[in-house]
Amino acid sequence: MSTENAKSGSLFTPWNIVAGLILAAGIVVTIMRFTMGLGSVTNLTDNNPWGIWIGFDLLCGVALAAGGYTTSAACYIFGFKRFHGAVRPAILTAFLGYAMVVFALNYDVGRPWRLVYPIFYQQGTTSILFEVGLCVFIYLTVLFLEYLPAALEWKRGFDKYRGILVKMTMGLTILGVILSTLHQSSLGALYLIAPSKLHPLWYTAYLPVMFFMSSMFAGLSMVIFEGTISHKHFHHKMDAEYNGGYEDLQLAFAKAAAWIMAGYLAMKIFGLSMDNRWQYLGTGYGVWWLVEVFGFVAMPCYCYAVAYRDRNLKLARIAAPWTVLGIVLNRFNISLVAFNWQLPSVDRYFPSFGEIVISLFVVTIGVLIFRFIVTRMPIFYVHPAYKDSSH
Amino acid sequence: MKRRHFLGLLGAAGVTLGSGAVATAASSADIKGLPNAGGVLFDATRCIGCRKCESACNQVNSLPAPAKPFDDLTVLDTKRRTDAKTYTIVNKYVPQASKPPVFRKIQCNHCIDPACASACFVAAFKKMETGAVVYDESVCVGCRYCMVACPFNIPAYEYDKAFTPRVMKCTLCHPRILEGKLPGCVEACPKEALTYGKRRELLNLAWDRIGANPGLYVEHVYGEREMGGTSWLTIAPKPSLAALDMNEGLGTASAPELTSGALAAVPAVAGIWPVLLTGLYAITKRKDKIAETEKQQAVAAAIAKASADAQAKLSEELAKAEVANKRRIEVEVQKALEAAATAAAAEGEDS
């Protein structure tokens, strides 16, 4: 923060004021949440036990942090070494994303001090949520270890440990892909247990596969989107290696996203046909489903494909936030809009002001930590002392 | 051959996964194999909506007093569900305007293979031999996935407690049954609309009643197969179960069956991914290595060719130079000879 402010000369930039207001409101709601209980700040009910703290903070947070495993897999496993400059920003974004997911979970669960119980005390191994929890816990550790070399280069004097971590890169990357496959898909599998509550257009046995596939293009799109924003604000921090591969990477990721989204669309149609849900397309929910699938998957997919063909960076940079919005829409539809669809409208859920404040609070903290780190540590550039390192 | 090998491996994985699925199903088989597991039969044709069961439940479970007393029957005019202060409620329905209302008691159905137990990541729910599904608050984290999972919308949460919020639901009066007593609601019912007994016998009783009163009941024992079956069974008068807000579309698959496929994918992913990814990495690395070797070979060949060419040119030049030298020598010799001959001729003229 301070580097940025030192440059502009004042703490009171419009963004800082907004961030400050969100933080202040967040602290107030935090105090209320932990002294008066969930009921005092949320609209959660017995029929709607999961609100936006799960639908947005957990489901979207994890999906949008998928850039970590996609980028590191592309660079280290699939051999796209020219994308090396993009790995650190993607890993940092993923690490902070997961850290914020776990932070936000402390608000949502009734007794957060017991969050380690399923891992260390009593394991409910029949639960999909157990799988999610275990994978997220291990993956957060993996991401921390993947991020750590940057912090160690910043503080200097830890070359021995940094060396060990760099040697582990390949193993950590593969572990990251395994864990991501498991928990990204499991987040979809969470809803397999409630066929009577989720609308038939969204309930399908393919939910886990769809969540996994969509996490891939969510991650790729976030890397494009985040890169575009970072270029605006942290350009002075970027070195020739990062900038050299940057446009190339955005187009390559656009191409990859277009292919995966096409596969995802096919999966959606498969699901619809296998379960024979065509008759629902004529209903209100059917129209909404079509808006999600065609308006927020097929169209950005087409834009990505055209962007790659014409080497049109501008179009790829439009398709990226569009795809991200589509992911948010899909996760909201499954966890909130199409969930409990048969309940009368008075029993349906809409987030409270307090819930929205906490979700914004969590995102703001993530962005502020990101800014703190990239203005200090070698994220967008290679540290001069480690020019020859392959990490 | 290689493909067959791979398919064989897949088959082996399938067997492992299959046995995993059997293991989860085994827990239900255990309960199903307990012929003495208890349950309750609720007969909606007998219920008069007096709320005595609600009152008894409130007492035996020491739940907080309700806003309106239990003898206030106007409460029945609004549809209710169980909540953190109420384990059971009775709702009033009017399926046919010309006929008297029908009442239905709602509480935990004590599934044979409970969704809540399957969903709980700290295993806080357990199916007991009495038939009860009981909850252990001492491990509960409060994730509320049990509430998402329950197909009957039964578990409720103490949203207003900051430090000790619990999931609240009917216990089938498990502690009372262990003491040899009846569940509170069953004991309190003045019309014998509730019958406690062994589930197996209750099923027979239910079908006997349906058979003995042709035209009265819907021919369906709700809970016999729903979600794999429940310990709490309900029979209701015509026209339909749907008229009493009973979801007939739940299917017969139990909750663990719905998620066992996804859980079975875990060992498959954890087993196959590292092999595939390491292989992919090896292939990429090998390609790089081959490309590097080929590059080096090409460079070496080019250098060799260049030096060979240079060598050839040199020797050619040398040979050329030699010829030129020879000729020059020959010319010189010729010149010398000619000079000598000229000199000799001159000498001869002189003498």
Side-chain angles (χ1 to χ4, degrees):
Chain A
M1 221 194 294
S2 58
T3 316
E4 277 285 288
N5 298 330
K7 203 158 60 76
S8 54
S10 162
L11 250 174
F12 297 99
T13 61
W15 281 113
N16 278 355
I17 292 172
V18 171
L21 286 175
I22 293 175
L23 291 186
I27 289 166
V28 173
V29 178
T30 301
I31 293 170
M32 287 169 69
R33 154 68 186 91
F34 288 106
T35 53
M36 292 185 279
L38 279 165
S40 64
V41 292
T42 69
N43 277 349
L44 297 176
T45 62
D46 292 331
N47 283 329
N48 302 290
W50 284 358
I52 57 167
W53 291 351
I54 296 295
F56 180 75
D57 299 15
L58 175 67
L59 296 187
C60 296
V62 167
L64 299 181
Y69 85 89
T70 46
T71 312
S72 56
C75 175
Y76 296 126
I77 299 177
F78 296 90
F80 292 95
K81 294 211 183 78
R82 62 183 194 278
F83 302 153
H84 189 253
V87 172
R88 277 201 180 176
I91 290 287
L92 176 64
T93 312
F95 170 54
L96 292 178
Y98 276 86
M100 289 305 112
V101 164
V102 174
F103 175 63
L105 275 182
N106 282 281
Y107 284 80
D108 186 73
V109 303
R111 307 197 199 191
W113 47 92
R114 288 182 175 175
L115 263 176
V116 294
Y117 273 26
I119 296 166
F120 297 111
Y121 186 63
Q122 181 164 301
Q123 294 79 18
T125 49
T126 56
S127 173
I128 299 277
L129 196 60
F130 173 73
E131 191 196 330
V132 172
L134 190 62
C135 286
V136 168
F137 169 73
I138 303 174
Y139 188 45
L140 183 61
T141 316
V142 167
L143 281 170
F144 176 68
L145 293 177
E146 287 186 299
Y147 150 76
L148 204 54
L152 295 181
E153 287 168 17
W154 175 51
K155 278 295 172 200
R156 303 305 307 271
F158 299 98
D159 283 7
K160 203 176 115 198
Y161 301 105
R162 184 193 166 279
I164 296 170
L165 287 168
V166 169
K167 281 206 187 92
M168 288 163 63
T169 302
M170 199 52 224
L172 288 176
T173 305
I174 290 181
L175 192 57
V177 175
I178 298 167
L179 292 167
S180 296
T181 311
L182 290 176
H183 72 260
Q184 293 284 2
S185 58
S186 298
L187 284 175
L190 282 179
Y191 290 89
L192 287 179
I193 206 165
S196 60
K197 294 185 184 177
L198 186 57
H199 190 281
L201 280 173
W202 281 271
Y203 186 91
T204 147
Y206 297 125
L207 266 176
V209 184
M210 285 179 183
F211 264 60
F212 176 55
M213 286 186 89
S214 55
S215 83
M216 285 192 260
F217 61 77
L220 296 170
S221 300
M222 273 306 277
V223 171
I224 299 176
F225 181 52
E226 185 265 309
T228 310
I229 296 176
S230 289
H231 251 257
K232 248 183 215 158
H233 297 280
F234 305 112
H235 194 77
H236 56 289
K237 285 282 169 193
M238 294 166 178
D239 68 1
E241 189 199 341
Y242 181 88
N243 284 319
Y246 167 67
E247 294 188 351
D248 208 18
L249 169 123
Q250 289 202 325
L251 287 173
F253 273 27
K255 182 186 178 185
W259 276 110
I260 301 168
M261 287 166 92
Y264 176 76
L265 277 173
M267 202 81 215
K268 281 270 177 194
I269 305 300
F270 275 153
L272 207 61
S273 314
M274 293 286 281
D275 302 332
N276 195 13
R277 305 283 199 227
W278 300 97
Q279 73 273 21
Y280 289 100
L281 286 183
T283 65
Y285 276 102
V287 173
W288 189 236
W289 188 87
L290 289 169
V291 166
E292 179 198 315
V293 173
F294 288 96
F296 289 88
V297 184
M299 284 171 70
C301 168
Y302 178 73
C303 288
Y304 268 143
V306 171
Y308 176 74
R309 186 193 64 189
D310 301 345
R311 294 192 66 80
N312 184 343
L313 271 174
K314 217 173 172 184
L315 188 59
R317 286 170 190 168
I318 292 170
W322 194 353
T323 309
V324 168
L325 264 182
I327 290 291
V328 174
L329 181 65
N330 172 255
R331 301 305 195 255
F332 270 22
N333 280 344
I334 287 168
S335 63
L336 307 169
V337 179
F339 191 78
N340 274 338
W341 66 289
Q342 282 167 313
L343 284 187
S345 54
V346 287
D347 290 336
R348 297 300 304 273
Y349 162 88
F350 194 83
S352 71
F353 179 69
E355 288 176 85
I356 296 170
V357 164
I358 290 300
S359 285
L360 289 174
F361 177 65
V362 170
V363 172
T364 308
I365 291 179
V367 171
L368 290 179
I369 300 177
F370 183 85
R371 192 165 81 168
F372 177 90
I373 291 176
V374 298
T375 48
R376 285 165 177 78
M377 301 178 198
I379 300 295
F380 291 121
Y381 61 93
V382 179
H383 195 287
Y386 303 95
K387 273 279 185 243
D388 305 324
S389 169
S390 65
H391 191 272
Chain B
M1 187 59 201
K2 262 182 187 166
R3 198 177 65 149
R4 193 175 299 167
H5 201 134
F6 176 68
L7 290 176
L9 282 177
L10 267 189
V15 170
T16 329
L17 304 185
S19 58
V22 169
T24 26
S27 57
S28 68
D30 290 345
I31 300 294
K32 277 174 190 147
L34 285 173
N36 294 327
V40 173
L41 173 66
F42 170 67
D43 187 337
T45 64
R46 298 185 178 193
C47 180
I48 52 166
C50 65
R51 302 186 68 207
K52 291 239 163 44
C53 54
E54 289 187 37
S55 169
C57 176
N58 177 278
Q59 261 178 8
V60 300
N61 290 299
S62 316
L63 295 169
K68 287 184 182 174
F70 286 108
D71 51 16
D72 181 353
L73 297 184
T74 59
V75 170
L76 294 169
D77 294 335
T78 43
K79 290 271 183 307
R80 294 174 299 154
R81 60 152 286 166
T82 54
D83 60 41
K85 294 170 181 166
T86 331
Y87 288 168
T88 186
I89 50 109
V90 173
N91 270 344
K92 183 167 86 176
Y93 301 90
V94 188
Q96 289 158 305
S98 57
K99 292 192 174 169
V102 181
F103 300 93
R104 179 164 77 95
K105 181 179 178 301
I106 295 169
Q107 72 300 305
C108 174
N109 284 326
H110 300 279
C111 300
I112 289 171
D113 247 341
C116 53
S118 165
C120 183
F121 69 165
V122 281
F125 290 94
K126 281 195 179 61
K127 178 77 178 174
M128 311 305 284
E129 297 191 8
T130 56
V133 176
V134 296
Y135 159 78
D136 176 7
E137 64 160 291
S138 73
V139 291
C140 178
V141 182
C143 72
R144 308 185 299 286
Y145 187 33
C146 51
M147 298 163 70
V148 169
C150 178
F152 305 106
N153 279 327
I154 295 302
Y157 200 64
E158 294 183 312
Y159 287 108
D160 294 329
K161 285 196 179 167
F163 303 105
T164 57
R166 294 169 295 174
V167 169
M168 302 295 276
K169 74 163 199 73
C170 159
T171 63
L172 200 70
C173 284
H174 178 67
R176 282 173 60 93
I177 293 173
L178 290 182
E179 290 170 18
K181 294 183 199 160
L182 283 173
C185 55
V186 176
E187 195 177 71
C189 182
K191 303 298 286 183
E192 291 188 7
L194 295 166
T195 315
Y196 177 82
K198 293 172 187 170
R199 182 177 185 268
R200 188 170 41 95
E201 289 165 10
L202 292 176
L203 266 176
N204 290 338
L205 177 64
W207 281 113
D208 284 351
R209 280 192 202 167
I210 293 172
N213 299 281
L216 177 60
Y217 291 97
V218 176
E219 285 160 357
H220 185 117
V221 179
Y222 196 82
E224 184 174 8
R225 296 186 197 285
E226 272 74 20
M227 291 297 285
T230 58
S231 291
W232 196 288
L233 305 166
T234 300
I235 48 176
K238 283 189 167 172
S240 72
L241 299 179
L244 308 186
D245 279 352
M246 295 162 91
N247 190 344
E248 290 172 292
L250 291 180
T252 56
S254 69
E257 286 171 59
L258 295 169
T259 52
S260 64
L263 282 172
V266 174
V269 170
I272 294 172
W273 246 175
V275 180
L276 280 182
L277 293 175
T278 321
L280 212 60
Y281 171 65
I283 291 170
T284 318
K285 217 177 166 187
R286 197 176 130 74
K287 263 189 184 162
D288 285 354
K289 207 178 160 188
I290 290 174
E292 187 62 30
T293 321
E294 279 175 352
K295 199 169 133 196
Q296 278 172 1
Q297 278 171 351
V299 169
I303 291 171
K305 189 167 181 285
S307 60
D309 284 355
Q311 196 65 45
K313 205 172 178 190
L314 184 64
S315 41
E316 197 182 313
E317 290 295 321
L318 280 176
K320 268 187 198 163
E322 210 167 315
V323 171
N325 266 353
K326 246 185 194 167
R327 288 198 60 177
R328 209 177 306 141
I329 291 167
E330 273 169 18
V331 169
E332 290 297 320
V333 169
Q334 191 73 29
K335 266 186 192 168
L337 285 175
E338 276 172 13
T342 323
E347 244 171 60
E349 273 168 29
D350 290 346
S351 59

